[in-house]
C-alpha cells in the first residue's frame, strides 16, 4: 500500500500502535476498529487500482515508445479521483457512518470501471459503427457521478463494455505500432494469442499455455493449462503472421522478416 498512499499507511499504523503509557496499549472500541478496517480496505483497493493501471501504462509506453504526456492523461485523472476518495475516508476520526461506507464503496466500484471504459471510448473514436456509438452513449450516461453506482449498475456497465468490445476487438493499433511491439518483445512467431473477444495477449518463455488468467480488457479467461489453450482462445495470426502456437508441432518457423 505504500506506493501511492505511504503517509496514510504510516498514520494508520501509528494509530493502531498508539500507547497510553509506556507499558499499556490503548484499547479501541468496536466503532474505531470498524473505521480502521474500512480505511485499510480503501487504501488497499485504491493502491491496487492505481498500481494495475500504472503497470499497464508503463508497459504500453515501453512497447510503442509513447511519451509520458501522450500515454498518461487517464492515469493522472484516475489518480486524482482515487486520492480525493482516499483523503475523504482517512479524514474520519472515530467512526464511519454506514451511509459514508456505502457511498465510498459505490464510488470505488465506479473508479474500477473507468480504465476499461476509457479504453473502449478511445477505440470507439475511430469507429463509425452506430451500434458501438449507442453503447458508449449508454455507458457514459450510467457513469454520471449523480447516479448511484451499486452492484446492479456495475454489472450493467460490464455487460455493455463486453458488448462494445465485440465491435472493437482485434489489435486496435496501427501496423507501425504492431511492428514496434514485435521488435521490442523479440519473440519468435506463435507467442501471441487472443481472448474470445479478440483482445491480443502474449505468452513468453516457450509460448505454451501453462496457466489461466483474465483478459485485462474484458475479463474473459485467457491462457490455459498443461499446454492446452482455452478452447475459446486462438492464435493471433494478425499480430505476427503465425497460424500455430510456438509450442505446436505444426508451428511455422518463419522469421518476422517474412511477415
Amino acid at each position: 500500500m505504500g506506493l501511492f498512499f505511504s503517509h496514510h499507511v504510516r498514520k494508520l499504523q501509528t494509530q493502531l500502535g498508539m500507547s497510553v503509557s509506556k507499558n499499556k496499549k490503548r484499547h479501541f472500541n468496536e466503532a474505531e476498529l470498524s473505521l480502521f478496517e474500512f480505511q485499510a480496505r480503501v487504501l488497499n483497493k485504491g493502491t491496487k487500482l492505481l498500481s494495475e493501471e500504472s503497470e499497464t501504462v508503463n508497459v504500453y509506453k515501453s512497447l510503442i515508445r509513447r511519451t509520458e504526456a501522450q500515454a498518461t492523461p487517464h492515469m493522472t485523472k484516475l489518480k486524482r479521483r482515487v486520492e480525493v476518495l482516499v483523503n475523504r475516508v482517512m479524514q474520519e476520526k472515530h467512526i464511519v457512518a454506514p451511509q459514508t461506507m456505502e457511498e465510498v464503496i459505490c464510488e470505488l466500484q465506479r473508479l474500477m470501471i473507468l480504465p476499461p471504459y476509457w479504453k473502449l471510448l478511445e477505440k470507439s473514436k475511430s469507429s463509425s459503427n452506430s451500434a458501438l456509438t449507442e453503447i458508449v452513449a449508454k455507458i457514459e450516461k450510467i457513469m454520471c457521478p449523480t447516479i448511484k453506482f451499486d452492484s446492479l449498475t456495475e454489472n450493467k456497465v460490464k455487460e455493455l463494455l463486453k458488448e462494445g468490445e465485440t465491435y472493437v476487438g482485434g489489435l486496435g493499433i496501427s501496423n507501425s505500432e504492431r511492428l514496434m511491439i514485435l521488435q521490442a518483445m523479440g519473440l519468435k512467431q506463435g507467442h501471441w494469442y487472443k481472448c474470445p473477444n479478440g483482445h491480443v495477449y502474449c505468452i513468453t518463455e516457450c509460448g505454451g499455455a501453462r496457466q489461466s488468467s483474465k483478459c485485462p480488457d474484458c475479463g474473459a479467461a485467457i491462457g490455459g493449462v498443461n499446454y492446452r489453450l482455452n478452447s475459446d482462445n486462438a492464435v493471433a495470426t494478425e499480430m505476427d503472421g503465425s497460424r500455430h502456437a510456438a509450442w505446436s508441432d505444426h508451428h511455422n518457423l518463419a522469421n518476422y522478416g517474412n511477415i
Side-chain angles (χ1 to χ4, degrees):
M1 289 191 289
L3 180 60
F4 291 98
F5 305 110
S6 56
H7 60 298
H8 286 312
V9 173
R10 287 195 298 269
K11 179 181 177 181
L12 187 58
Q13 290 173 335
T14 299
Q15 288 177 306
L16 289 171
M18 277 194 305
S19 297
V20 175
S21 65
K22 192 172 183 179
N23 299 316
K24 183 180 179 181
K25 288 192 174 182
R26 175 181 170 182
H27 293 283
F28 300 101
N29 59 44
E30 187 175 341
E32 289 174 317
L33 290 174
S34 178
L35 171 61
F36 295 151
E37 180 184 3
F38 183 64
Q39 288 175 328
R41 283 172 53 199
V42 171
L43 285 171
N44 185 52
K45 288 198 173 189
T47 297
K48 182 180 179 181
L49 174 58
L50 294 182
S51 296
E52 290 177 351
E53 186 62 14
S54 179
E55 180 64 23
T56 299
V57 168
N58 289 335
V59 170
Y60 188 64
K61 285 166 59 180
S62 67
L63 290 180
I64 65 174
R65 303 172 188 176
R66 292 283 177 92
T67 65
E68 184 175 357
Q70 290 174 313
T72 62
H74 288 161
M75 178 62 189
T76 301
K77 189 188 301 184
L78 181 66
K79 186 172 183 290
R80 188 181 303 118
R81 292 183 63 168
V82 173
E83 286 177 342
V84 168
L85 191 63
V86 167
N87 290 335
R88 174 188 175 187
V89 172
M90 296 308 293
Q91 286 174 357
E92 301 291 340
K93 300 298 182 183
H94 303 291
I95 189 172
V96 55
Q99 181 178 348
T100 299
M101 293 180 67
E102 183 181 12
E103 291 174 354
V104 170
I105 291 172
C106 286
E107 188 58 23
L108 273 174
Q109 291 176 179
R110 190 196 310 275
L111 293 178
M112 294 181 75
I113 287 292
L114 281 178
Y117 164 60
W118 283 333
K119 288 178 184 178
L120 180 64
L121 191 61
E122 286 296 322
K123 292 177 181 178
S124 69
K125 290 179 180 179
S126 58
S127 173
S128 58
N129 189 294
S130 58
L132 177 59
T133 301
E134 185 178 346
I135 290 172
V136 171
K138 288 180 180 179
I139 298 175
E140 185 176 13
K141 185 176 181 180
I142 298 174
M143 294 295 287
C144 176
T146 59
I147 295 179
K148 183 179 179 181
F149 204 85
D150 55 19
S151 297
L152 291 176
T153 306
E154 180 184 16
N155 290 335
K156 186 174 182 179
V157 172
K158 285 182 176 179
E159 289 176 1
L160 287 169
L161 285 171
K162 188 172 182 179
E163 184 181 354
E165 288 292 348
T166 62
Y167 294 101
V168 294
L171 297 180
I173 56 175
S174 67
N175 189 56
S176 61
E177 289 175 335
R178 177 184 70 86
L179 293 176
M180 279 193 286
I181 291 175
L182 292 176
Q183 183 179 10
M185 295 298 287
L187 299 170
K188 294 180 180 181
Q189 288 178 290
H191 286 258
W192 299 90
Y193 303 89
K194 53 188 176 182
C195 79
N197 293 316
H199 303 118
V200 176
Y201 64 93
C202 174
I203 298 180
T204 56
E205 298 179 354
C206 67
R210 295 185 292 174
Q211 64 181 27
S212 295
S213 185
K214 290 185 177 182
C215 174
D217 286 310
C218 65
I222 59 176
V225 293
N226 297 326
Y227 294 93
R228 291 178 180 273
L229 190 69
N230 290 343
S231 60
D232 54 359
N233 283 216
V235 174
T237 303
E238 62 270 43
M239 187 67 186
D240 66 358
S242 177
R243 295 185 179 278
H244 304 284
W247 46 272
S248 169
D249 293 336
H250 303 288
H251 175 59
N252 183 350
L253 298 177
N255 294 323
Y256 284 133
N258 297 324
I259 297 175

